[in-house]
Amino acid sequence: MYEIWLVMNIVWEIALGLWPLLLAAAALWMILMLTAWRRPGTRWRAGLPLALGLGVLTTVAAFTLVPGWTRSTLSELGYWVDWANLLAVAAAFGAAAVAFAWPLFSMRQATTRR
């Protein structure tokens, strides 16, 4: 349990250092969502499978690339908490990709509708 608490504290400290970027990303996401919501003919269901597919690809890519970005390798992950952290970081990248891609793909589907 201590390891999980430690990870949560580390994530909080990293977020404190990056809060302007996180705030800008949140604002951009809100603008995308409002634009898609106000646009007539936005097809949310049609855009979701494409966004989820991109999210899965992003998660897999992040799972393989994040250890290198942190100057580590998959072979150095010897403890279950290390694997859980890597999976959580990769899932966060995937979730962010879905969050930004869904309104974009939904608006795209509105323009290609027949």
Side-chain angles (χ1 to χ4, degrees):
M1 188 68 177
Y2 170 75
E3 292 90 355
I4 296 171
W5 181 252
L6 179 63
V7 168
M8 290 172 48
N9 283 323
I10 291 170
V11 168
W12 176 255
E13 291 297 325
I14 291 171
L16 284 177
L18 297 174
W19 72 266
L21 292 174
L22 295 173
L23 185 64
L28 177 62
W29 181 75
M30 288 297 291
I31 290 168
L32 282 173
M33 291 298 285
L34 286 172
T35 302
W37 181 61
R38 289 180 163 222
R39 186 174 181 162
T42 299
R43 298 178 58 212
W44 292 100
R45 281 191 186 168
L48 186 58
L50 292 170
L52 289 174
L54 180 66
V56 168
L57 288 175
T58 304
T59 300
V60 170
F63 186 83
T64 59
L65 295 174
V66 165
W69 292 340
T70 60
R71 298 185 183 117
S72 182
T73 63
L74 289 176
S75 63
E76 292 177 0
L77 301 177
Y79 192 45
W80 72 268
V81 175
D82 298 333
W83 287 100
N85 286 334
L86 178 58
L87 286 172
V89 168
F93 273 103
V98 170
F100 282 93
W102 190 21
L104 292 173
F105 285 144
S106 297
M107 286 188 290
R108 179 180 170 270
Q109 293 296 325
T111 60
T112 61
R113 188 176 184 185
R114 295 179 186 190

